[in-house]
Amino acid sequence: MVTPLPAERYGARTLYEDLYCARGDMETRIKEQQLDLFADRTSTHTLRANQIRLYFASFAYVLLCALRRLALADTELAQAQC
């Protein structure tokens, strides 16, 4: 991995686990919202209809994250995807 961060400040393991893996997890969550929660379905003719679809997908995603964090903590489903 190539990075402009100073080597004496960040160890290779810390850099990989804290920054690189976190970025991959973020991209997974974005993909999950777009594909599984249909956030990319903005094909109606009006802006308001597309906006409400995106609101619904975002609200579903927030609920899913809260369910994982609060209700499913310390279970095998804490990392479940849609």
Side-chain angles (χ1 to χ4, degrees):
M1 179 176 0
V2 177
T3 178
L5 299 173
E8 57 275 352
R9 187 169 177 196
Y10 297 99
R13 183 181 190 97
T14 302
L15 186 64
Y16 176 76
E17 290 175 353
D18 293 344
L19 295 176
Y20 187 75
C21 291
R23 179 179 174 203
D25 185 55
M26 175 190 62
E27 289 177 3
T28 300
R29 300 297 168 225
I30 290 170
K31 183 175 78 171
E32 181 180 42
Q33 185 177 13
Q34 288 178 339
L35 300 178
D36 298 333
L37 299 176
F38 306 109
D40 63 340
R41 299 276 172 96
T42 54
S43 57
T44 61
H45 295 291
T46 64
L47 178 65
R48 288 195 189 272
N50 287 331
Q51 186 177 21
I52 197 78
R53 283 182 175 200
L54 191 56
Y55 281 154
F56 286 152
S58 297
F59 185 68
Y61 180 73
V62 169
L63 284 176
L64 183 65
C65 287
L67 178 68
R68 281 189 199 126
R69 190 180 72 248
L70 301 173
L72 299 174
D74 301 324
T75 69
E76 58 191 32
L77 296 175
Q79 298 297 319
Q81 293 183 357
C82 296

